[in-house]
Amino acid sequence: YEAVLVDLPAHGRSTGRTTNLVEWMWALRALERELGAVEAIVAHSFGGAATALAMGELGVPARGVVLVAPAGSPFYYVEHFARM
C-alpha cells in the first residue's frame, strides 16, 4: 500500500482562495482516475462531506472510508448565513 496525502483546491498548499463542495467532489473523482483503485479514504471536516458526496453521487469507489468530524449538512450553514 502507498499512502497519498492531498490538499484539495484552495486548501493547504493548493492554489486558489475559494472553493466549494462540488469542486472538491470532482477533485476527488479526478484523483481516483489518476491514482487508480483506492483502498481507503480518510477525510476530515469539509473533506468528509466531499468524500461522502463523491462516493454517493459520482460513484468514487473505496473499500473503506473514515470520516473524522465531517462537515454537516450545507443547509445549516446557509440558514446560519441568511440569519446573519
PDB file of all heavy atoms in Angstrom, residues 40-83:
ATOM      1  N   ALA A  40      -8.747   2.866   0.621  1.00  0.00           N
ATOM      2  CA  ALA A  40      -9.437   3.562   1.705  1.00  0.00           C
ATOM      3  C   ALA A  40      -9.215   5.068   1.588  1.00  0.00           C
ATOM      4  O   ALA A  40      -8.195   5.507   1.055  1.00  0.00           O
ATOM      5  CB  ALA A  40      -8.937   3.084   3.062  1.00  0.00           C
ATOM      6  N   ILE A  41     -10.175   5.811   2.091  1.00  0.00           N
ATOM      7  CA  ILE A  41     -10.084   7.268   2.139  1.00  0.00           C
ATOM      8  C   ILE A  41     -10.274   7.692   3.583  1.00  0.00           C
ATOM      9  O   ILE A  41     -11.190   7.220   4.264  1.00  0.00           O
ATOM     10  CB  ILE A  41     -11.182   7.923   1.269  1.00  0.00           C
ATOM     11  CG1 ILE A  41     -11.016   7.531  -0.204  1.00  0.00           C
ATOM     12  CG2 ILE A  41     -11.150   9.447   1.429  1.00  0.00           C
ATOM     13  CD1 ILE A  41     -12.167   7.990  -1.092  1.00  0.00           C
ATOM     14  N   VAL A  42      -9.408   8.573   4.054  1.00  0.00           N
ATOM     15  CA  VAL A  42      -9.550   9.195   5.366  1.00  0.00           C
ATOM     16  C   VAL A  42      -9.708  10.683   5.102  1.00  0.00           C
ATOM     17  O   VAL A  42      -8.866  11.286   4.433  1.00  0.00           O
ATOM     18  CB  VAL A  42      -8.323   8.937   6.269  1.00  0.00           C
ATOM     19  CG1 VAL A  42      -8.496   9.639   7.604  1.00  0.00           C
ATOM     20  CG2 VAL A  42      -8.114   7.448   6.460  1.00  0.00           C
ATOM     21  N   ALA A  43     -10.784  11.262   5.594  1.00  0.00           N
ATOM     22  CA  ALA A  43     -11.062  12.673   5.312  1.00  0.00           C
ATOM     23  C   ALA A  43     -11.542  13.372   6.571  1.00  0.00           C
ATOM     24  O   ALA A  43     -12.161  12.769   7.438  1.00  0.00           O
ATOM     25  CB  ALA A  43     -12.113  12.780   4.216  1.00  0.00           C
ATOM     26  N   HIS A  44     -11.270  14.670   6.631  1.00  0.00           N
ATOM     27  CA  HIS A  44     -11.633  15.485   7.792  1.00  0.00           C
ATOM     28  C   HIS A  44     -12.467  16.681   7.363  1.00  0.00           C
ATOM     29  O   HIS A  44     -12.246  17.258   6.299  1.00  0.00           O
ATOM     30  CB  HIS A  44     -10.349  15.962   8.491  1.00  0.00           C
ATOM     31  CG  HIS A  44     -10.608  16.932   9.595  1.00  0.00           C
ATOM     32  ND1 HIS A  44     -10.374  18.267   9.454  1.00  0.00           N
ATOM     33  CD2 HIS A  44     -11.093  16.757  10.846  1.00  0.00           C
ATOM     34  CE1 HIS A  44     -10.694  18.880  10.582  1.00  0.00           C
ATOM     35  NE2 HIS A  44     -11.137  17.985  11.432  1.00  0.00           N
ATOM     36  N   SER A  45     -13.448  17.032   8.172  1.00  0.00           N
ATOM     37  CA  SER A  45     -14.243  18.244   8.032  1.00  0.00           C
ATOM     38  C   SER A  45     -14.886  18.346   6.647  1.00  0.00           C
ATOM     39  O   SER A  45     -15.638  17.468   6.244  1.00  0.00           O
ATOM     40  CB  SER A  45     -13.367  19.456   8.355  1.00  0.00           C
ATOM     41  OG  SER A  45     -14.144  20.621   8.439  1.00  0.00           O
ATOM     42  N   PHE A  46     -14.580  19.413   5.922  1.00  0.00           N
ATOM     43  CA  PHE A  46     -15.164  19.643   4.596  1.00  0.00           C
ATOM     44  C   PHE A  46     -14.826  18.491   3.649  1.00  0.00           C
ATOM     45  O   PHE A  46     -15.641  18.108   2.808  1.00  0.00           O
ATOM     46  CB  PHE A  46     -14.608  20.972   4.055  1.00  0.00           C
ATOM     47  CG  PHE A  46     -15.408  21.590   2.958  1.00  0.00           C
ATOM     48  CD1 PHE A  46     -16.703  22.049   3.174  1.00  0.00           C
ATOM     49  CD2 PHE A  46     -14.855  21.755   1.704  1.00  0.00           C
ATOM     50  CE1 PHE A  46     -17.431  22.640   2.153  1.00  0.00           C
ATOM     51  CE2 PHE A  46     -15.570  22.363   0.681  1.00  0.00           C
ATOM     52  CZ  PHE A  46     -16.860  22.802   0.905  1.00  0.00           C
ATOM     53  N   GLY A  47     -13.635  17.918   3.821  1.00  0.00           N
ATOM     54  CA  GLY A  47     -13.238  16.770   3.010  1.00  0.00           C
ATOM     55  C   GLY A  47     -14.105  15.554   3.270  1.00  0.00           C
ATOM     56  O   GLY A  47     -14.330  14.734   2.378  1.00  0.00           O
ATOM     57  N   GLY A  48     -14.612  15.421   4.498  1.00  0.00           N
ATOM     58  CA  GLY A  48     -15.519  14.321   4.813  1.00  0.00           C
ATOM     59  C   GLY A  48     -16.831  14.444   4.054  1.00  0.00           C
ATOM     60  O   GLY A  48     -17.331  13.467   3.504  1.00  0.00           O
ATOM     61  N   ALA A  49     -17.368  15.648   4.022  1.00  0.00           N
ATOM     62  CA  ALA A  49     -18.606  15.878   3.268  1.00  0.00           C
ATOM     63  C   ALA A  49     -18.368  15.651   1.776  1.00  0.00           C
ATOM     64  O   ALA A  49     -19.189  15.023   1.094  1.00  0.00           O
ATOM     65  CB  ALA A  49     -19.120  17.293   3.527  1.00  0.00           C
ATOM     66  N   ALA A  50     -17.251  16.142   1.268  1.00  0.00           N
ATOM     67  CA  ALA A  50     -16.930  15.967  -0.158  1.00  0.00           C
ATOM     68  C   ALA A  50     -16.741  14.491  -0.497  1.00  0.00           C
ATOM     69  O   ALA A  50     -17.187  14.026  -1.550  1.00  0.00           O
ATOM     70  CB  ALA A  50     -15.678  16.762  -0.511  1.00  0.00           C
ATOM     71  N   THR A  51     -16.113  13.746   0.389  1.00  0.00           N
ATOM     72  CA  THR A  51     -15.899  12.315   0.168  1.00  0.00           C
ATOM     73  C   THR A  51     -17.230  11.571   0.122  1.00  0.00           C
ATOM     74  O   THR A  51     -17.463  10.747  -0.762  1.00  0.00           O
ATOM     75  CB  THR A  51     -14.993  11.728   1.267  1.00  0.00           C
ATOM     76  OG1 THR A  51     -13.710  12.356   1.176  1.00  0.00           O
ATOM     77  CG2 THR A  51     -14.851  10.225   1.133  1.00  0.00           C
ATOM     78  N   ALA A  52     -18.108  11.863   1.069  1.00  0.00           N
ATOM     79  CA  ALA A  52     -19.421  11.206   1.088  1.00  0.00           C
ATOM     80  C   ALA A  52     -20.189  11.506  -0.199  1.00  0.00           C
ATOM     81  O   ALA A  52     -20.786  10.599  -0.794  1.00  0.00           O
ATOM     82  CB  ALA A  52     -20.215  11.657   2.306  1.00  0.00           C
ATOM     83  N   LEU A  53     -20.161  12.755  -0.638  1.00  0.00           N
ATOM     84  CA  LEU A  53     -20.850  13.110  -1.881  1.00  0.00           C
ATOM     85  C   LEU A  53     -20.193  12.460  -3.094  1.00  0.00           C
ATOM     86  O   LEU A  53     -20.887  11.974  -3.979  1.00  0.00           O
ATOM     87  CB  LEU A  53     -20.880  14.625  -2.058  1.00  0.00           C
ATOM     88  CG  LEU A  53     -21.928  15.353  -1.243  1.00  0.00           C
ATOM     89  CD1 LEU A  53     -21.747  16.865  -1.375  1.00  0.00           C
ATOM     90  CD2 LEU A  53     -23.329  14.961  -1.694  1.00  0.00           C
ATOM     91  N   ALA A  54     -18.862  12.471  -3.151  1.00  0.00           N
ATOM     92  CA  ALA A  54     -18.165  11.879  -4.294  1.00  0.00           C
ATOM     93  C   ALA A  54     -18.460  10.390  -4.404  1.00  0.00           C
ATOM     94  O   ALA A  54     -18.654   9.869  -5.500  1.00  0.00           O
ATOM     95  CB  ALA A  54     -16.659  12.123  -4.180  1.00  0.00           C
ATOM     96  N   MET A  55     -18.524   9.721  -3.273  1.00  0.00           N
ATOM     97  CA  MET A  55     -18.823   8.292  -3.291  1.00  0.00           C
ATOM     98  C   MET A  55     -20.280   8.049  -3.683  1.00  0.00           C
ATOM     99  O   MET A  55     -20.570   7.157  -4.476  1.00  0.00           O
ATOM    100  CB  MET A  55     -18.510   7.671  -1.936  1.00  0.00           C
ATOM    101  CG  MET A  55     -17.025   7.661  -1.607  1.00  0.00           C
ATOM    102  SD  MET A  55     -16.654   6.957   0.002  1.00  0.00           S
ATOM    103  CE  MET A  55     -16.720   5.212  -0.405  1.00  0.00           C
ATOM    104  N   GLY A  56     -21.188   8.848  -3.129  1.00  0.00           N
ATOM    105  CA  GLY A  56     -22.614   8.638  -3.391  1.00  0.00           C
ATOM    106  C   GLY A  56     -23.086   9.150  -4.728  1.00  0.00           C
ATOM    107  O   GLY A  56     -23.855   8.484  -5.422  1.00  0.00           O
ATOM    108  N   GLU A  57     -22.620  10.323  -5.124  1.00  0.00           N
ATOM    109  CA  GLU A  57     -23.114  10.956  -6.346  1.00  0.00           C
ATOM    110  C   GLU A  57     -22.313  10.596  -7.593  1.00  0.00           C
ATOM    111  O   GLU A  57     -22.860  10.517  -8.676  1.00  0.00           O
ATOM    112  CB  GLU A  57     -23.121  12.483  -6.182  1.00  0.00           C
ATOM    113  CG  GLU A  57     -24.052  12.988  -5.106  1.00  0.00           C
ATOM    114  CD  GLU A  57     -25.521  12.729  -5.419  1.00  0.00           C
ATOM    115  OE1 GLU A  57     -25.916  12.858  -6.595  1.00  0.00           O
ATOM    116  OE2 GLU A  57     -26.264  12.379  -4.493  1.00  0.00           O
ATOM    117  N   LEU A  58     -21.002  10.419  -7.435  1.00  0.00           N
ATOM    118  CA  LEU A  58     -20.145  10.164  -8.594  1.00  0.00           C
ATOM    119  C   LEU A  58     -19.629   8.737  -8.655  1.00  0.00           C
ATOM    120  O   LEU A  58     -18.924   8.374  -9.589  1.00  0.00           O
ATOM    121  CB  LEU A  58     -18.951  11.131  -8.595  1.00  0.00           C
ATOM    122  CG  LEU A  58     -19.291  12.615  -8.620  1.00  0.00           C
ATOM    123  CD1 LEU A  58     -18.017  13.440  -8.568  1.00  0.00           C
ATOM    124  CD2 LEU A  58     -20.114  12.954  -9.844  1.00  0.00           C
ATOM    125  N   GLY A  59     -19.937   7.957  -7.631  1.00  0.00           N
ATOM    126  CA  GLY A  59     -19.502   6.566  -7.624  1.00  0.00           C
ATOM    127  C   GLY A  59     -18.013   6.376  -7.396  1.00  0.00           C
ATOM    128  O   GLY A  59     -17.449   5.377  -7.830  1.00  0.00           O
ATOM    129  N   VAL A  60     -17.353   7.348  -6.736  1.00  0.00           N
ATOM    130  CA  VAL A  60     -15.933   7.180  -6.419  1.00  0.00           C
ATOM    131  C   VAL A  60     -15.800   5.974  -5.487  1.00  0.00           C
ATOM    132  O   VAL A  60     -16.375   5.977  -4.398  1.00  0.00           O
ATOM    133  CB  VAL A  60     -15.349   8.459  -5.773  1.00  0.00           C
ATOM    134  CG1 VAL A  60     -13.943   8.222  -5.261  1.00  0.00           C
ATOM    135  CG2 VAL A  60     -15.367   9.607  -6.778  1.00  0.00           C
ATOM    136  N   PRO A  61     -15.087   4.939  -5.907  1.00  0.00           N
ATOM    137  CA  PRO A  61     -15.023   3.720  -5.109  1.00  0.00           C
ATOM    138  C   PRO A  61     -13.916   3.748  -4.065  1.00  0.00           C
ATOM    139  O   PRO A  61     -12.861   4.330  -4.274  1.00  0.00           O
ATOM    140  CB  PRO A  61     -14.728   2.649  -6.157  1.00  0.00           C
ATOM    141  CG  PRO A  61     -13.906   3.364  -7.178  1.00  0.00           C
ATOM    142  CD  PRO A  61     -14.428   4.784  -7.201  1.00  0.00           C
ATOM    143  N   ALA A  62     -14.174   3.130  -2.956  1.00  0.00           N
ATOM    144  CA  ALA A  62     -13.171   2.867  -1.918  1.00  0.00           C
ATOM    145  C   ALA A  62     -13.720   1.731  -1.070  1.00  0.00           C
ATOM    146  O   ALA A  62     -14.909   1.705  -0.761  1.00  0.00           O
ATOM    147  CB  ALA A  62     -12.920   4.102  -1.071  1.00  0.00           C
ATOM    148  N   ARG A  63     -12.869   0.802  -0.695  1.00  0.00           N
ATOM    149  CA  ARG A  63     -13.329  -0.321   0.133  1.00  0.00           C
ATOM    150  C   ARG A  63     -13.613   0.109   1.553  1.00  0.00           C
ATOM    151  O   ARG A  63     -14.413  -0.495   2.244  1.00  0.00           O
ATOM    152  CB  ARG A  63     -12.294  -1.436   0.102  1.00  0.00           C
ATOM    153  CG  ARG A  63     -12.220  -2.082  -1.276  1.00  0.00           C
ATOM    154  CD  ARG A  63     -11.346  -3.293  -1.286  1.00  0.00           C
ATOM    155  NE  ARG A  63     -11.928  -4.284  -0.371  1.00  0.00           N
ATOM    156  CZ  ARG A  63     -11.270  -5.330   0.090  1.00  0.00           C
ATOM    157  NH1 ARG A  63     -10.010  -5.519  -0.256  1.00  0.00           N
ATOM    158  NH2 ARG A  63     -11.838  -6.181   0.902  1.00  0.00           N
ATOM    159  N   GLY A  64     -12.937   1.176   2.008  1.00  0.00           N
ATOM    160  CA  GLY A  64     -13.152   1.678   3.352  1.00  0.00           C
ATOM    161  C   GLY A  64     -13.093   3.189   3.364  1.00  0.00           C
ATOM    162  O   GLY A  64     -12.480   3.803   2.501  1.00  0.00           O
ATOM    163  N   VAL A  65     -13.765   3.773   4.339  1.00  0.00           N
ATOM    164  CA  VAL A  65     -13.750   5.229   4.472  1.00  0.00           C
ATOM    165  C   VAL A  65     -13.806   5.583   5.955  1.00  0.00           C
ATOM    166  O   VAL A  65     -14.518   4.944   6.723  1.00  0.00           O
ATOM    167  CB  VAL A  65     -14.902   5.883   3.682  1.00  0.00           C
ATOM    168  CG1 VAL A  65     -16.259   5.478   4.209  1.00  0.00           C
ATOM    169  CG2 VAL A  65     -14.774   7.388   3.672  1.00  0.00           C
ATOM    170  N   VAL A  66     -13.008   6.571   6.337  1.00  0.00           N
ATOM    171  CA  VAL A  66     -13.022   7.094   7.700  1.00  0.00           C
ATOM    172  C   VAL A  66     -13.274   8.589   7.584  1.00  0.00           C
ATOM    173  O   VAL A  66     -12.494   9.302   6.945  1.00  0.00           O
ATOM    174  CB  VAL A  66     -11.686   6.852   8.435  1.00  0.00           C
ATOM    175  CG1 VAL A  66     -11.706   7.491   9.811  1.00  0.00           C
ATOM    176  CG2 VAL A  66     -11.384   5.370   8.517  1.00  0.00           C
ATOM    177  N   LEU A  67     -14.373   9.055   8.173  1.00  0.00           N
ATOM    178  CA  LEU A  67     -14.703  10.477   8.156  1.00  0.00           C
ATOM    179  C   LEU A  67     -14.509  11.018   9.565  1.00  0.00           C
ATOM    180  O   LEU A  67     -15.214  10.628  10.486  1.00  0.00           O
ATOM    181  CB  LEU A  67     -16.143  10.694   7.684  1.00  0.00           C
ATOM    182  CG  LEU A  67     -16.493  10.090   6.314  1.00  0.00           C
ATOM    183  CD1 LEU A  67     -17.946  10.354   5.978  1.00  0.00           C
ATOM    184  CD2 LEU A  67     -15.573  10.611   5.230  1.00  0.00           C
ATOM    185  N   VAL A  68     -13.548  11.913   9.712  1.00  0.00           N
ATOM    186  CA  VAL A  68     -13.220  12.491  11.013  1.00  0.00           C
ATOM    187  C   VAL A  68     -13.884  13.862  11.109  1.00  0.00           C
ATOM    188  O   VAL A  68     -13.519  14.780  10.380  1.00  0.00           O
ATOM    189  CB  VAL A  68     -11.689  12.618  11.194  1.00  0.00           C
ATOM    190  CG1 VAL A  68     -11.360  13.212  12.553  1.00  0.00           C
ATOM    191  CG2 VAL A  68     -11.020  11.271  11.000  1.00  0.00           C
ATOM    192  N   ALA A  69     -14.870  13.976  11.996  1.00  0.00           N
ATOM    193  CA  ALA A  69     -15.615  15.227  12.186  1.00  0.00           C
ATOM    194  C   ALA A  69     -16.042  15.838  10.857  1.00  0.00           C
ATOM    195  O   ALA A  69     -15.709  16.975  10.546  1.00  0.00           O
ATOM    196  CB  ALA A  69     -14.786  16.222  12.999  1.00  0.00           C
ATOM    197  N   PRO A  70     -16.799  15.080  10.039  1.00  0.00           N
ATOM    198  CA  PRO A  70     -17.200  15.614   8.735  1.00  0.00           C
ATOM    199  C   PRO A  70     -18.139  16.810   8.886  1.00  0.00           C
ATOM    200  O   PRO A  70     -18.890  16.897   9.852  1.00  0.00           O
ATOM    201  CB  PRO A  70     -17.919  14.437   8.069  1.00  0.00           C
ATOM    202  CG  PRO A  70     -18.409  13.613   9.208  1.00  0.00           C
ATOM    203  CD  PRO A  70     -17.380  13.763  10.298  1.00  0.00           C
ATOM    204  N   ALA A  71     -18.033  17.727   7.945  1.00  0.00           N
ATOM    205  CA  ALA A  71     -18.939  18.879   7.925  1.00  0.00           C
ATOM    206  C   ALA A  71     -20.369  18.377   7.797  1.00  0.00           C
ATOM    207  O   ALA A  71     -20.635  17.396   7.099  1.00  0.00           O
ATOM    208  CB  ALA A  71     -18.589  19.798   6.763  1.00  0.00           C
ATOM    209  N   GLY A  72     -21.272  19.048   8.476  1.00  0.00           N
ATOM    210  CA  GLY A  72     -22.676  18.654   8.435  1.00  0.00           C
ATOM    211  C   GLY A  72     -23.365  19.130   7.170  1.00  0.00           C
ATOM    212  O   GLY A  72     -22.730  19.559   6.211  1.00  0.00           O
ATOM    213  N   SER A  73     -24.650  19.077   7.211  1.00  0.00           N
ATOM    214  CA  SER A  73     -25.464  19.479   6.069  1.00  0.00           C
ATOM    215  C   SER A  73     -25.197  20.932   5.695  1.00  0.00           C
ATOM    216  O   SER A  73     -25.144  21.809   6.557  1.00  0.00           O
ATOM    217  CB  SER A  73     -26.946  19.317   6.416  1.00  0.00           C
ATOM    218  OG  SER A  73     -27.744  19.954   5.456  1.00  0.00           O
ATOM    219  N   PRO A  74     -25.048  21.211   4.402  1.00  0.00           N
ATOM    220  CA  PRO A  74     -24.842  22.601   3.990  1.00  0.00           C
ATOM    221  C   PRO A  74     -26.050  23.490   4.297  1.00  0.00           C
ATOM    222  O   PRO A  74     -25.918  24.702   4.402  1.00  0.00           O
ATOM    223  CB  PRO A  74     -24.593  22.511   2.482  1.00  0.00           C
ATOM    224  CG  PRO A  74     -25.047  21.164   2.078  1.00  0.00           C
ATOM    225  CD  PRO A  74     -25.018  20.288   3.293  1.00  0.00           C
ATOM    226  N   PHE A  75     -27.211  22.898   4.491  1.00  0.00           N
ATOM    227  CA  PHE A  75     -28.402  23.685   4.792  1.00  0.00           C
ATOM    228  C   PHE A  75     -28.251  24.450   6.101  1.00  0.00           C
ATOM    229  O   PHE A  75     -28.705  25.582   6.227  1.00  0.00           O
ATOM    230  CB  PHE A  75     -29.649  22.800   4.820  1.00  0.00           C
ATOM    231  CG  PHE A  75     -29.931  22.147   3.503  1.00  0.00           C
ATOM    232  CD1 PHE A  75     -29.796  20.785   3.349  1.00  0.00           C
ATOM    233  CD2 PHE A  75     -30.308  22.906   2.404  1.00  0.00           C
ATOM    234  CE1 PHE A  75     -30.037  20.187   2.132  1.00  0.00           C
ATOM    235  CE2 PHE A  75     -30.553  22.324   1.178  1.00  0.00           C
ATOM    236  CZ  PHE A  75     -30.420  20.957   1.045  1.00  0.00           C
ATOM    237  N   TYR A  76     -27.583  23.861   7.082  1.00  0.00           N
ATOM    238  CA  TYR A  76     -27.338  24.545   8.348  1.00  0.00           C
ATOM    239  C   TYR A  76     -26.547  25.822   8.111  1.00  0.00           C
ATOM    240  O   TYR A  76     -26.869  26.874   8.650  1.00  0.00           O
ATOM    241  CB  TYR A  76     -26.581  23.634   9.316  1.00  0.00           C
ATOM    242  CG  TYR A  76     -26.021  24.386  10.499  1.00  0.00           C
ATOM    243  CD1 TYR A  76     -26.838  24.735  11.568  1.00  0.00           C
ATOM    244  CD2 TYR A  76     -24.696  24.785  10.521  1.00  0.00           C
ATOM    245  CE1 TYR A  76     -26.326  25.451  12.646  1.00  0.00           C
ATOM    246  CE2 TYR A  76     -24.177  25.495  11.589  1.00  0.00           C
ATOM    247  CZ  TYR A  76     -25.005  25.831  12.645  1.00  0.00           C
ATOM    248  OH  TYR A  76     -24.497  26.547  13.692  1.00  0.00           O
ATOM    249  N   TYR A  77     -25.500  25.730   7.299  1.00  0.00           N
ATOM    250  CA  TYR A  77     -24.638  26.880   7.064  1.00  0.00           C
ATOM    251  C   TYR A  77     -25.358  27.960   6.257  1.00  0.00           C
ATOM    252  O   TYR A  77     -25.176  29.154   6.498  1.00  0.00           O
ATOM    253  CB  TYR A  77     -23.347  26.445   6.379  1.00  0.00           C
ATOM    254  CG  TYR A  77     -22.592  25.453   7.225  1.00  0.00           C
ATOM    255  CD1 TYR A  77     -22.616  24.096   6.932  1.00  0.00           C
ATOM    256  CD2 TYR A  77     -21.903  25.866   8.355  1.00  0.00           C
ATOM    257  CE1 TYR A  77     -21.956  23.182   7.732  1.00  0.00           C
ATOM    258  CE2 TYR A  77     -21.228  24.959   9.162  1.00  0.00           C
ATOM    259  CZ  TYR A  77     -21.266  23.629   8.841  1.00  0.00           C
ATOM    260  OH  TYR A  77     -20.620  22.726   9.638  1.00  0.00           O
ATOM    261  N   VAL A  78     -26.178  27.554   5.310  1.00  0.00           N
ATOM    262  CA  VAL A  78     -26.947  28.521   4.519  1.00  0.00           C
ATOM    263  C   VAL A  78     -27.933  29.256   5.422  1.00  0.00           C
ATOM    264  O   VAL A  78     -28.051  30.485   5.365  1.00  0.00           O
ATOM    265  CB  VAL A  78     -27.673  27.825   3.349  1.00  0.00           C
ATOM    266  CG1 VAL A  78     -28.646  28.773   2.664  1.00  0.00           C
ATOM    267  CG2 VAL A  78     -26.659  27.280   2.352  1.00  0.00           C
ATOM    268  N   GLU A  79     -28.632  28.522   6.272  1.00  0.00           N
ATOM    269  CA  GLU A  79     -29.573  29.164   7.205  1.00  0.00           C
ATOM    270  C   GLU A  79     -28.859  30.115   8.162  1.00  0.00           C
ATOM    271  O   GLU A  79     -29.314  31.224   8.398  1.00  0.00           O
ATOM    272  CB  GLU A  79     -30.314  28.105   8.027  1.00  0.00           C
ATOM    273  CG  GLU A  79     -31.449  27.429   7.294  1.00  0.00           C
ATOM    274  CD  GLU A  79     -32.184  26.452   8.199  1.00  0.00           C
ATOM    275  OE1 GLU A  79     -32.162  26.636   9.438  1.00  0.00           O
ATOM    276  OE2 GLU A  79     -32.775  25.516   7.653  1.00  0.00           O
ATOM    277  N   HIS A  80     -27.729  29.668   8.692  1.00  0.00           N
ATOM    278  CA  HIS A  80     -26.948  30.500   9.608  1.00  0.00           C
ATOM    279  C   HIS A  80     -26.479  31.776   8.915  1.00  0.00           C
ATOM    280  O   HIS A  80     -26.598  32.880   9.460  1.00  0.00           O
ATOM    281  CB  HIS A  80     -25.753  29.705  10.137  1.00  0.00           C
ATOM    282  CG  HIS A  80     -24.926  30.436  11.143  1.00  0.00           C
ATOM    283  ND1 HIS A  80     -25.392  30.728  12.399  1.00  0.00           N
ATOM    284  CD2 HIS A  80     -23.676  30.947  11.056  1.00  0.00           C
ATOM    285  CE1 HIS A  80     -24.454  31.399  13.056  1.00  0.00           C
ATOM    286  NE2 HIS A  80     -23.404  31.531  12.255  1.00  0.00           N
ATOM    287  N   PHE A  81     -25.990  31.653   7.697  1.00  0.00           N
ATOM    288  CA  PHE A  81     -25.537  32.812   6.936  1.00  0.00           C
ATOM    289  C   PHE A  81     -26.704  33.764   6.651  1.00  0.00           C
ATOM    290  O   PHE A  81     -26.574  34.988   6.783  1.00  0.00           O
ATOM    291  CB  PHE A  81     -24.882  32.360   5.623  1.00  0.00           C
ATOM    292  CG  PHE A  81     -24.386  33.478   4.781  1.00  0.00           C
ATOM    293  CD1 PHE A  81     -23.196  34.113   5.098  1.00  0.00           C
ATOM    294  CD2 PHE A  81     -25.100  33.902   3.677  1.00  0.00           C
ATOM    295  CE1 PHE A  81     -22.729  35.166   4.331  1.00  0.00           C
ATOM    296  CE2 PHE A  81     -24.641  34.950   2.893  1.00  0.00           C
ATOM    297  CZ  PHE A  81     -23.456  35.586   3.212  1.00  0.00           C
ATOM    298  N   ALA A  82     -27.856  33.220   6.292  1.00  0.00           N
ATOM    299  CA  ALA A  82     -29.026  34.041   5.998  1.00  0.00           C
ATOM    300  C   ALA A  82     -29.484  34.822   7.221  1.00  0.00           C
ATOM    301  O   ALA A  82     -29.885  35.991   7.116  1.00  0.00           O
ATOM    302  CB  ALA A  82     -30.162  33.168   5.460  1.00  0.00           C
ATOM    303  N   ARG A  83     -29.430  34.200   8.405  1.00  0.00           N
ATOM    304  CA  ARG A  83     -29.811  34.903   9.638  1.00  0.00           C
ATOM    305  C   ARG A  83     -28.866  36.048   9.947  1.00  0.00           C
ATOM    306  O   ARG A  83     -29.254  37.059  10.507  1.00  0.00           O
ATOM    307  CB  ARG A  83     -29.879  33.919  10.802  1.00  0.00           C
ATOM    308  CG  ARG A  83     -31.147  33.095  10.815  1.00  0.00           C
ATOM    309  CD  ARG A  83     -31.306  32.385  12.154  1.00  0.00           C
ATOM    310  NE  ARG A  83     -30.157  31.506  12.413  1.00  0.00           N
ATOM    311  CZ  ARG A  83     -30.167  30.196  12.257  1.00  0.00           C
ATOM    312  NH1 ARG A  83     -31.247  29.591  11.840  1.00  0.00           N
ATOM    313  NH2 ARG A  83     -29.091  29.481  12.521  1.00  0.00           N
TER     314      ARG A  83
END
